[in-house]
Amino acid sequence: MPAAKNPASEASHRRDTPETDTEHLRAGIQSVEVGFELLNALSQAPGALMLRDLAAAAGMSAAKAHRYLVSFQRMGLVMQDPVSTRYDLGPASLRLGLASLSRLDAVKLARDRIPSLLAETGHTLAIAVWGNQGPTMVHWAEAPQTVPVTLRLGDVMPLLTSATGRCFAAFMGQEGRDAQRIAPMIREELARVKKLPRNGLPLEDVPQTLQDVQALLDETRAQGLGRVVHSLLPGVGGFCAPVFDAQGRLALGLVVLGSVATLDTDWNGAPAQALRRCARQLSDDLGHRPTP
């Protein structure tokens, strides 16, 4: 006579099947994703929010938002001011953010993006960081069938005649100690530039005075890119896009270089737009939030 079936055992077996596990996992993930919208809304806001405003920003009802917020408060992810009743990120969110930032490697993140950016632009790409003597090339990826560029890893780029240097001068040299360090470097380089033979290169791309330099850096900031056409090397154009960290400091520059015969050097051309887009994504990954 066959043994009697145990309903509890059958129920347990049903709960442990891959199908039921997947169903529970989907439900759990969906719940976390919904709740995360509240945390994301708080991270994007300039300050603490009232419940109705926070719920609206997260795209849910106030009653639903409140249920999530009660749990988030218990976990320390969210805190509520007892006087204003506004909600803000809590100490646990701060600890998570600091832990994440401490483990970020800006250059590694940028290198991971290079293959897809290379496929999109079809031109040589590089990564530059600020070294002891100025903007320094730390990674290089040549595209197939491109004009060879005689630059090497470790090369320090000029501030006034390279897209990389213009990017760093514009976005590092606005205030504070960086400005005090960059200003004399610009003056020294300007004196050297005036002595260089032009070799038929267009003078409008090479600054001759401090006023020219200021106009050049203003344009770089306005366009969100450093750009050169001919001034670094004859027949070569390039762009450099700034990548910022969570403190708003320039972490690195993303560079694209190519022959002016094949590289679109227009400010709004495809290479420039691809570089801007990638730089913005990297800055976002590093925790940067642009000032409104």
Side-chain angles (χ1 to χ4, degrees):
M1 181 175 181
K5 294 183 180 179
N6 187 334
S9 176
E10 286 189 345
S12 174
H13 176 71
R14 286 196 298 271
R15 286 197 300 269
D16 292 340
T17 62
E19 291 79 8
T20 54
D21 283 348
T22 301
E23 290 173 4
H24 292 156
L25 183 61
R26 285 174 182 165
I29 290 175
Q30 183 179 15
S31 178
V32 170
E33 289 175 349
V34 171
F36 177 76
E37 290 303 318
L38 290 165
L39 300 176
N40 189 46
L42 281 174
S43 72
Q44 300 290 338
L49 296 174
M50 297 294 291
L51 174 60
R52 63 176 182 274
D53 299 324
L54 177 53
M60 64 181 74
S61 68
K64 183 176 181 180
H66 184 261
R67 291 196 295 272
Y68 280 99
L69 291 169
V70 169
S71 294
F72 286 157
Q73 283 181 271
R74 291 173 184 160
M75 300 164 66
L77 291 169
V78 168
M79 60 183 181
Q80 184 181 28
D81 187 286
V83 177
S84 68
T85 71
R86 293 174 181 268
Y87 291 92
D88 207 346
L89 293 173
S93 292
L94 176 62
R95 288 193 296 271
L96 287 172
L98 291 175
S100 178
L101 287 174
S102 69
R103 297 170 189 175
L104 282 177
D105 184 334
V107 173
K108 182 181 182 303
L109 285 176
R111 289 182 64 170
D112 290 343
R113 299 289 180 90
I114 289 295
S116 60
L117 188 59
L118 191 65
E120 184 175 2
T121 64
H123 290 280
T124 295
L125 299 172
I127 301 170
V129 300
W130 186 266
N132 292 333
Q133 299 178 341
T136 306
M137 294 295 182
V138 295
H139 183 70
W140 193 263
E142 285 194 2
Q145 301 177 346
T146 58
V147 175
V149 179
T150 56
L151 296 176
R152 300 164 298 179
L153 294 182
D155 278 352
V156 178
M157 307 307 295
L159 293 177
L160 300 181
T161 56
S162 72
T164 307
R166 291 176 179 184
C167 177
F168 277 79
F171 294 102
M172 276 185 65
Q174 298 183 71
E175 58 185 22
R177 287 183 298 176
D178 289 335
Q180 296 172 4
R181 178 170 46 182
I182 288 176
M185 295 173 65
I186 287 177
R187 289 194 293 269
E188 291 174 10
E189 191 172 317
L190 187 61
R192 291 196 301 270
V193 164
K194 291 179 179 179
K195 299 176 183 178
L196 292 176
R198 293 294 142 201
N199 296 328
L201 297 182
L203 292 175
E204 62 267 20
D205 196 43
V206 180
Q208 299 295 301
T209 66
L210 285 174
Q211 289 75 17
D212 292 342
V213 172
Q214 188 59 54
L216 175 66
L217 299 184
D218 287 344
E219 181 183 40
T220 299
R221 295 182 189 113
Q223 296 291 345
L225 290 171
R227 180 184 72 169
V228 292
V229 181
H230 295 299
S231 61
L232 178 64
L233 294 167
V236 172
F239 294 98
C240 180
V243 174
F244 300 98
D245 64 16
Q247 287 74 44
R249 296 189 297 255
L250 184 60
L252 56 86
L254 277 180
V255 185
V256 60
L257 289 173
S259 165
V260 294
T262 56
L263 176 69
D264 185 352
T265 57
D266 187 88
W267 286 115
N268 293 312
Q273 293 192 42
L275 207 62
R276 285 191 189 98
R277 185 166 56 252
C278 186
R280 283 195 298 268
Q281 291 171 347
L282 280 169
S283 296
D284 187 68
D285 290 345
L286 291 172
H288 177 61
R289 296 295 179 267
T291 303

